[in-house]
Amino acid sequence: MMMTGLKLQNLGLRRGGRLLFSGLELDLKAGQVVALTGRNGAGKTSLLRAVAGLVQPEAGTISFGDLDPDEARASSLHLVGHQDGLKTSRTVAEELIFWSRWFGADRAQALDSAARLDLTGLLGLEVRRLSAGQRKRLALARLLAAPRPLWLLDEPLSPLDASWRTRFGDLMAEHLAGGGLILAAVHDPLPIPSIGLEIGA
Amino acid sequence: MSALSALFGRETSLAWGRGGGPLVSVGFYAGVATLLPLATGPEPDRLAAIAPGAAWVALALAALLSLDRLFERDFEDGALDLMVHSSLPLELVCAIKCLGQWVATGLPLALAAPLAALALGAQPLILPLVFGCAAVGGLAFAFMGGIGAALSLGARRGGLLTAVIVLPLFVPPVIFGGGALDSLSNGLPWTAGFALLCAYGAAALALGPLAMAAACRNALS
């Protein structure tokens, strides 16, 4: 079943005894992207983790259209966080193929996504040899290899150069055109039109 | 199935390199087995009497070496965050990680155990049982040790904490395995001890993943 939307109702989050925000409302529909903004420590990352089911909200509800939340989190969302889960001792190909298989894609899809992010020439390299931007592209290649409708992106643009920011904008637009949804925590503006949501204001 | 086999391959490969992998564990095991005669004296009779138990305790300590990083690295680098977004239950993920740990370090230690026991003067008659106990016990060490590794996630000096949590859980297999080996050495029935060791291994297989997954979820939140 396709995810049709993400709805946050009266959401409140507390971390380390500190109330980050309360009463947050969001209604994200297929084909839309929301850019979460806010000062450092406002709770952008915590909100993404709450949507991903990694943090329990203090109040409110998170719903994924008609999907059961557990099912949605298991098969319909992909989180790209600050930590990318890549093992530095393994090669780009090993990591990309592993994670692609983990998220339900096959080797061919993994190699195709590597090509789309210009990683083909780096496939034999250990992850530790990658620059920060290349490593971010590898994390983003996982998004493309096993497409899931809801992308949760935490600072997706930060280590990318201007050219790759634009190209990633094109990939985001393509995802949205296919009925995808994106919730992105950002400090810099996204390269595509987005709905703004400031938290902790 | 594809995700499971991919995870098993990755875990085995990572466990091979984690904490120095099997070479360090086997090296540590050999070191402890070598130290023992220096402490107890080299008389063959005395050594032969304690050889099975000593080899067994050394095995338990060697199994501890690479346990602390079983979940820690995935926790630190965000891989655990990604692993929960799968149709595979986290309990199964934990079980596969422990299985990879056992294949990479438990089995090499089990292969080294008869050699260490022989070097300490154990009777050749008991060597197959030394291997059997070490293999089954290693499985129990990996799955019970995984609980300690998961519980110490995010803690400072987690390796030490893991050891403190895990050592009491290692007591039953050490007693059962050591008892079986001692019985065989003395010409007594040994199957009861070995059966109890297998039962403990089965319990570890069944219950360990539940506890590990709960501890991982708690650490992630």
Side-chain angles (χ1 to χ4, degrees), chain A residues 132-192:
Chain A
Q134 289 168 333
R135 193 165 163 159
K136 176 62 89 171
R137 275 158 48 204
L138 175 55
L140 295 175
R142 285 187 302 213
L143 284 172
L144 306 182
R148 291 183 166 200
L150 176 57
W151 287 2
L152 302 173
L153 310 176
D154 200 353
E155 297 290 350
L157 305 174
S158 52
L160 298 178
D161 61 31
S163 153
W164 271 107
R165 287 182 178 211
T166 307
R167 288 173 72 176
F168 184 58
D170 295 341
L171 294 171
M172 291 169 83
E174 193 181 309
H175 178 65
L176 297 173
L181 310 87
I182 300 174
L183 183 59
V186 292
H187 283 296
D188 301 324
L190 287 172
I192 57 171

Side-chain angles (χ1 to χ4, degrees), chain A:
Chain A
M1 190 186 290
M2 188 68 182
M3 186 185 288
T4 54
L6 167 68
K7 197 165 193 173
L8 312 181
Q9 290 176 294
N10 193 32
L11 196 72
L13 267 184
R14 186 179 289 277
R15 297 292 288 156
R18 187 170 66 94
L19 183 68
L20 296 174
F21 54 79
S22 60
L24 186 74
E25 302 279 341
L26 173 67
D27 191 3
L28 179 64
K29 294 192 165 42
Q32 291 182 332
V33 52
V34 164
L36 284 174
T37 56
R39 58 182 164 71
N40 289 337
K44 302 185 293 295
T45 297
S46 295
L47 174 57
L48 293 179
R49 291 178 67 81
V51 173
L54 298 169
V55 171
Q56 283 300 313
E58 185 178 66
T61 58
I62 301 170
S63 55
F64 301 87
D66 297 329
L67 290 179
D68 170 74
D70 289 339
E71 185 189 335
R73 285 168 177 141
S75 62
S76 297
L77 68 77
H78 194 135
L79 171 69
V80 178
H82 287 300
Q83 279 84 32
D84 54 25
L86 298 168
K87 295 288 181 280
T88 53
S89 60
R90 285 164 54 92
T91 65
V92 171
E94 286 171 338
E95 282 295 88
L96 183 56
I97 290 169
F98 165 73
W99 283 113
S100 299
R101 289 173 73 186
W102 185 255
F103 290 120
D106 58 25
R107 183 187 173 89
Q109 287 169 295
L111 297 180
D112 181 58
S113 71
R116 295 180 71 189
L117 285 150
D118 272 2
L119 293 168
T120 307
L122 306 175
L123 286 173
L125 218 56
E126 285 182 347
V127 171
R128 77 172 92 242
R129 311 276 176 212
L130 299 181
S131 70
Q134 289 168 333
R135 193 165 163 159
K136 176 62 89 171
R137 275 158 48 204
L138 175 55
L140 295 175
R142 285 187 302 213
L143 284 172
L144 306 182
R148 291 183 166 200
L150 176 57
W151 287 2
L152 302 173
L153 310 176
D154 200 353
E155 297 290 350
L157 305 174
S158 52
L160 298 178
D161 61 31
S163 153
W164 271 107
R165 287 182 178 211
T166 307
R167 288 173 72 176
F168 184 58
D170 295 341
L171 294 171
M172 291 169 83
E174 193 181 309
H175 178 65
L176 297 173
L181 310 87
I182 300 174
L183 183 59
V186 292
H187 283 296
D188 301 324
L190 287 172
I192 57 171
S194 59
I195 302 164
L197 176 64
E198 184 172 3
I199 59 173

Side-chain angles (χ1 to χ4, degrees), chain A residues 15 49 52 85 87 95 101, chain B residues 2 10 74 77 81 85 221:
Chain A
R15 297 292 288 156
R49 291 178 67 81
K87 295 288 181 280
E95 282 295 88
R101 289 173 73 186
Chain B
S2 173
R10 182 180 196 250
D74 285 336
D77 69 17
D81 288 351
H85 298 133
S221 66

Side-chain angles (χ1 to χ4, degrees), chain B residues 23-54:
Chain B
L23 285 178
V24 169
S25 294
V26 171
F28 176 82
Y29 183 44
V32 174
T34 309
L35 277 177
L36 209 68
L38 302 177
T40 60
E43 293 85 0
D45 287 347
R46 184 189 290 178
L47 270 180
I50 62 163

